[in-house]
Amino acid sequence: MIRHFFLDKTNTILENSYQNLGLNPIMSVGYGQFLMRGLLHFDINEIKELIRDKTFADVSKLKFTLKMTNCFSVDTVPYEKPISIAPDFQFERAASFDLMLFKLPMHFDTGRGFDYSDDFYIKNHISMSDKGSNWYFSRTCIPWKYEFDKFDLDDKTLNVRKKRYYDRNLSEKLTSEVLEVAKKYASEEYAISKVMKNLREIVKNNAINDEALKGGIYDKKFIENEYEKYMNGEESIIIGTQHFDFGSENLSIDITKYVLDELVDELSPNLLDEDKKNIQNYGLCLAFTPCYEKIGYEFEEYVGFFTDNTNTFFHPYIEAVYDEYINDDRESFTLGRKNKLYLYAFDDGMPINLDKIPVCSVDGVTYPVKQATKGVYYAVLRDFGTKEDNGRIFIDKWSEIKVNHVKHDDVELEFSTRPESNKLSISDNSYSKNQLVPSLYGINDNELLKRGEEREIIVDFREKFSTDKRMLISGAEYRIYVFDGNRQLDVIPYQNIEKSFLNNFFKIYTNDFIPNKYYIDIKVNDGREIRYFRNVLSFEIVSDVTERYD
């Protein structure tokens, strides 16, 4: 099972700048003339809910990966062409580098800034903002926690911005001081604007040189030490790194340990409250590794990734891979092999969890039972039976079944055994197998789906040129993808199609998809051949935007 959890906040922070870029569709990370770092956050509550309701029943089979699309991978700009954004200032795409991902010490706000710099001919630039997170502050008025404790609120240095942020009682005094200075000018409106602009420049220059407010989330030396710890295998704020050879590779960093640490409430309910406070999903920062951030360079070397504000298909997300799928052997129970028998619990057609794991026994022998996902339990029978048991019908008894503290009667199911030779063929002829053709039910072809729907897709395998020879198979896979021009982009790479007692199936969770048109391929291992069935079904996720903005 693969699920996607989209990022809900991103921002780019620029070294020695109060500028905010929270609404920009591209997150830039860079080094050279100055540093650029990317902030990102995702809501972990949805993942918690899936663990709580046992959709992800076994967390040891979970893997989480941060996925972001590199703008270079879809751009047509020549590789080495510098990009000018201001006179005597150029960006250049980086190549052969390493990025690192580290934890943030506190929550940050996205902000509403968009542009990097003022246009020369536009006044009152509404796309420029310093509200929200930036190099110095995680939120308006709040410095990054690493520096907050050592910030001197009694500093009498002429730093108007600090006084505005940290002592509200001085706001009236500050206003009167500005108006007093403004009397020296002919126009009071013009004067206030000019004085405030001059004061901002004084504040900026003062803050840059202020030992108490260096910004950048953490002190550079601290990050260097943490990176060294990470490289030595020690506990660190660094979560992971990725090497980029060409520079156009997409971001893919394993963050499994970080996510599982954030799920401590679900995984370790008996943990002390004080320990829980130390583990918070504040978000992550993407930056070049310390050896690159130290480099001064003629150009600004950068790499850009699409953010949650992009109007393209390339939204960033956390990919959760749950390595567990249903493969029920009840209809093809083979002696001498490992077989799984499943029990399904439903309430009015909806899967439900039992109060505890039930007990499974066959012929008086109890077998261990595990939970696969919500409402699905299975017992593993290894090397069951002898040759004399061939063709016999056995009863598997499921007991200790409780729902909402109410005990229910035992459930008795049955299965018949087949000899191991049933799946083995030894002869003088080349082994052949009937060709199978898949049909999909559960979504109409080209159906429009609204985000929030969950659909179970039945995969019906039948022999070619036949309408009544239906088969259940193991080893079939499905894939969901979109088209970008002639390119096919995987949304869900090939995954196993699940097999229950009655049918083959897989589920589609539309919240995991961006509004677009999607296509499904099926892959079948048919004897000595692997057959691909292209575009067996297509569907479209429609936009859920209902508001109009003027």
Side-chain angles (χ1 to χ4, degrees):
M1 178 190 298
I2 291 183
R3 298 294 308 271
H4 292 170
F5 306 95
F6 295 103
L7 302 190
D8 55 7
K9 290 194 292 186
T10 54
N11 188 21
T12 298
I13 59 175
L14 313 178
E15 186 178 22
N16 301 332
S17 172
Y18 293 107
Q19 193 168 355
N20 175 274
L21 297 166
L23 295 183
N24 199 284
I26 296 175
M27 173 192 292
S28 296
V29 183
Y31 72 93
Q33 293 184 334
F34 61 91
L35 301 182
M36 295 189 292
R37 293 173 178 170
L39 310 181
L40 56 97
H41 181 273
F42 62 95
D43 187 357
I44 206 166
N45 290 323
E46 188 175 355
I47 300 176
K48 282 187 176 182
E49 183 58 35
L50 293 177
I51 290 178
R52 187 179 296 123
D53 74 359
K54 301 298 183 181
T55 298
F56 298 151
D58 186 351
V59 295
S60 67
K61 296 181 178 180
L62 273 172
K63 179 181 179 181
F64 296 93
T65 306
L66 171 64
K67 301 273 192 176
M68 299 186 76
T69 302
N70 193 326
C71 302
F72 193 6
S73 68
V74 299
D75 203 347
T76 58
V77 176
Y79 302 150
E80 297 299 330
K81 180 181 179 180
I83 302 172
S84 298
I85 64 171
D88 300 323
F89 188 77
Q90 292 182 320
F91 275 33
E92 187 176 77
R93 295 188 189 277
S96 182
F97 58 87
D98 292 277
L99 295 184
M100 63 179 176
L101 197 64
F102 61 83
K103 303 176 187 178
L104 294 180
M106 61 194 302
H107 290 293
F108 73 92
D109 282 345
T110 302
R112 61 191 183 201
F114 184 89
D115 283 348
Y116 280 82
S117 60
D118 287 303
D119 292 330
F120 298 109
Y121 54 88
I122 296 180
K123 296 182 178 179
N124 300 323
H125 204 311
I126 61 175
S127 296
M128 299 280 291
S129 175
D130 59 5
K131 302 297 189 297
S133 54
N134 53 47
W135 187 261
Y136 297 108
F137 303 108
S138 64
R139 291 179 285 173
T140 303
C141 308
I142 306 297
W144 289 104
K145 185 176 181 180
Y146 185 74
E147 296 177 327
F148 182 78
D149 296 335
K150 59 184 180 182
F151 198 85
D152 185 5
L153 299 181
D154 296 324
D155 186 2
K156 302 302 181 183
T157 306
L158 178 57
N159 192 333
V160 179
R161 197 174 191 94
K162 280 168 58 176
K163 290 182 179 179
R164 289 176 63 202
Y165 278 143
Y166 298 106
D167 192 345
R168 293 184 179 181
N169 295 328
L170 292 178
S171 59
E172 294 183 3
K173 181 180 178 182
L174 175 62
T175 303
S176 63
E177 290 176 354
V178 172
L179 291 175
E180 188 68 27
V181 176
K183 292 178 181 179
K184 298 179 182 180
Y185 297 85
S187 169
E188 182 174 292
E189 182 179 352
Y190 168 79
I192 294 176
S193 174
K194 186 168 184 178
V195 171
M196 292 303 296
K197 182 177 180 180
N198 291 339
L199 288 176
R200 279 197 294 269
E201 288 301 314
I202 294 173
V203 170
K204 178 180 178 181
N205 294 331
N206 186 43
I208 291 173
N209 299 316
D210 192 342
E211 292 297 322
L213 189 63
K214 289 187 175 181
I217 306 170
Y218 294 104
D219 180 85
K220 292 180 182 178
K221 186 63 178 177
F222 175 78
I223 292 182
E224 289 178 15
N225 292 336
E226 290 295 307
Y227 182 73
E228 185 175 353
K229 289 180 182 178
Y230 171 79
M231 296 303 291
N232 293 332
E234 302 174 22
E235 191 69 24
S236 168
I237 66 168
I238 309 296
I239 293 173
T241 61
Q242 181 178 339
H243 178 70
F244 291 73
D245 185 350
F246 198 69
S248 62
E249 297 89 341
N250 292 330
L251 185 75
S252 180
I253 297 181
D254 188 338
I255 60 170
T256 303
K257 184 178 183 303
Y258 172 78
V259 175
L260 294 182
D261 285 346
E262 303 305 319
L263 297 172
V264 64
D265 290 342
E266 301 301 321
L267 305 181
S268 303
N270 297 324
L271 198 66
L272 296 176
D273 290 340
E274 188 61 34
D275 293 329
K276 292 180 181 181
K277 291 179 182 178
N278 295 329
I279 303 175
Q280 295 287 336
N281 178 34
Y282 294 131
L284 303 170
C285 178
L286 186 65
F288 279 85
T289 52
C291 63
Y292 290 96
E293 289 200 328
K294 290 180 179 179
I295 299 175
Y297 194 62
E298 177 184 2
F299 296 121
E300 180 68 15
E301 296 288 311
Y302 86 104
V303 58
F305 301 97
F306 289 105
T307 73
D308 56 315
N309 297 306
T310 181
N311 61 356
T312 69
F313 170 77
F314 305 106
H315 284 237
Y317 58 89
I318 306 299
E319 179 184 78
V321 178
Y322 183 47
D323 189 17
E324 177 73 73
Y325 78 101
I326 298 172
N327 188 16
D328 199 334
D329 295 308
R330 187 174 297 278
E331 56 82 35
S332 57
F333 196 102
T334 305
L335 295 174
R337 296 188 179 185
K338 182 181 77 172
N339 294 273
K340 289 183 179 180
L341 298 178
Y342 282 75
L343 176 73
Y344 308 89
F346 293 91
D347 181 13
D348 197 22
M350 299 296 293
I352 59 168
N353 293 314
L354 306 179
D355 292 354
K356 66 175 187 176
I357 302 295
V359 175
C360 177
S361 59
V362 180
D363 270 3
V365 179
T366 300
Y367 293 90
V369 177
K370 295 182 179 180
Q371 184 166 6
T373 186
K374 185 175 182 179
V376 181
Y377 303 84
Y378 67 94
V380 179
L381 282 66
R382 299 179 185 273
D383 300 324
F384 177 86
T386 63
K387 292 183 178 180
E388 289 73 22
D389 294 321
N390 176 32
R392 286 185 55 191
I393 295 178
F394 289 87
I395 301 296
D396 51 307
K397 181 178 179 181
W398 300 78
S399 56
E400 299 297 325
I401 298 176
K402 289 186 177 181
V403 179
N404 296 327
H405 307 293
V406 177
K407 187 173 181 180
H408 293 258
D409 295 336
D410 295 345
V411 175
E412 293 186 351
L413 305 174
E414 64 180 37
F415 64 94
S416 60
T417 58
R418 302 180 182 184
E420 188 172 9
S421 59
N422 186 67
K423 294 186 177 181
L424 186 66
S425 177
I426 302 176
S427 69
D428 58 352
N429 293 323
S430 175
Y431 175 64
S432 62
K433 198 173 185 178
N434 290 326
Q435 294 182 11
L436 299 177
V437 178
S439 298
L440 272 56
Y441 306 95
I443 293 180
N444 296 324
D445 198 25
N446 294 316
E447 184 175 351
L448 303 180
L449 301 179
K450 185 174 177 61
R451 295 187 72 190
E453 291 189 57
E454 296 181 8
R455 295 290 186 93
E456 183 171 287
I457 310 302
I458 304 300
V459 186
D460 199 356
F461 293 101
R462 298 178 185 273
E463 289 187 14
K464 197 172 184 179
F465 309 118
S466 168
T467 58
D468 58 351
K469 293 182 179 180
R470 179 172 171 268
M471 299 181 65
L472 288 175
I473 65 174
S474 301
E477 300 177 40
Y478 74 98
R479 164 196 179 220
I480 302 178
Y481 59 97
V482 300
F483 278 100
D484 178 34
N486 291 325
R487 294 193 305 166
Q488 296 181 4
L489 304 177
D490 279 353
V491 179
I492 304 293
Y494 276 110
Q495 295 291 300
N496 288 314
I497 296 176
E498 304 189 271
K499 186 189 76 169
S500 68
F501 177 54
L502 296 177
N503 50 49
N504 289 102
F505 70 96
F506 62 90
K507 292 198 69 173
I508 289 179
Y509 303 88
T510 58
N511 271 337
D512 298 355
F513 296 86
I514 298 297
N516 210 312
K517 186 164 186 177
Y518 295 85
Y519 303 85
I520 300 178
D521 286 355
I522 300 294
K523 180 172 72 173
V524 178
N525 188 342
D526 187 15
R528 293 186 302 184
E529 298 178 335
I530 297 178
R531 292 182 174 272
Y532 292 89
F533 298 87
R534 309 292 186 184
N535 191 13
V536 180
L537 180 70
S538 62
F539 62 93
E540 185 172 347
I541 304 295
V542 296
S543 175
D544 54 3
V545 176
T546 57
E547 298 183 27
R548 180 172 179 266
Y549 298 93
D550 295 322

